[in-house]
Amino acid sequence: MTKQYRAHPHRTAEDTRPAVYGHSRIARAALAAMTAAGPCATGTAVAQAASATTPTCSVSALTASFGRGLAGGMNHQGVVLKLKNTSARTCLLRGYPGLGLENAAHRTLHSTTHWGDTWYARSPAKSTLTLRQGQSAEAVISWTHADSGTPDAVHAAYLQVTPPAATSHKTLEFPQWVDHGDLRVTALARRIPVND
């Protein structure tokens, strides 16, 4: 299963000079710049600050499910994956879900996940999705299944779904033959147009 981790270093700066009227020189300069830029810039800064305090969706905050099943020629098959925020708190998702295959005994099988376009849909650009309670994001998964006799075909019983930035996964029933264990998945978005 392909996983991606990104570090987000934080920088801090302190003004060691005495504060004037409770504001440091840096804070006064930032306030002056925002005031000069006008209300639109100030609103943007407030929105960015609010976004910075919204947590990434944890595995426990989400439910995973399959939406529309997709079928097509040339042994292609696919499904729409949905991640829903079932917690009471707003959270963020950004990027691609990680995928993996398990057998009926929940043992991990060989698989490779490719992030990007699939047979059924072009991958949207990565964007930060704000999910309030009850809201969902989706991705489109595809694979091929020539037949059970295909060399390196993997007979799965379950699909592991790892939300972006998570280190654990959800498990969904997935009784499928997957050629070479190769899965393709788009980035998450609110809705993804599908061609089938």
Side-chain angles (χ1 to χ4, degrees), residues 78-195:
V79 69
V80 175
L81 171 69
K82 294 184 176 292
L83 295 178
K84 181 178 181 179
N85 179 9
T86 54
S87 74
R89 187 173 182 184
T90 299
C91 60
L92 305 177
L93 282 178
R94 177 182 175 85
Y96 297 85
L99 304 176
L101 300 174
E102 295 180 357
N103 65 15
H106 290 286
R107 293 188 179 176
T108 301
L109 301 170
H110 165 76
S111 65
T112 304
T113 299
H114 305 274
W115 289 346
D117 296 343
T118 70
W119 176 261
Y120 301 98
R122 294 186 63 83
S123 182
K126 285 173 40 174
S127 62
T128 301
L129 306 173
T130 301
L131 299 185
R132 294 180 177 82
Q133 183 180 22
Q135 292 185 324
S136 299
E138 66 182 33
V140 176
I141 303 171
S142 71
W143 64 95
T144 62
H145 59 103
D147 56 49
S148 60
T150 301
D152 299 322
V154 174
H155 189 201
Y158 298 96
L159 180 72
Q160 299 173 352
V161 179
T162 304
T167 56
S168 58
H169 60 265
K170 298 287 187 181
T171 305
L172 297 173
E173 289 188 11
F174 189 74
Q176 302 291 337
W177 284 96
V178 180
D179 292 343
H180 311 291
D182 284 342
L183 298 164
R184 298 187 177 277
V185 65
T186 66
L188 288 161
R190 291 286 187 185
R191 292 287 178 269
I192 301 177
V194 172
N195 300 316

Side-chain angles (χ1 to χ4, degrees), residues 19-30:
V20 178
Y21 302 113
H23 295 288
S24 70
R25 180 175 54 87
I26 294 173
R28 283 185 284 118

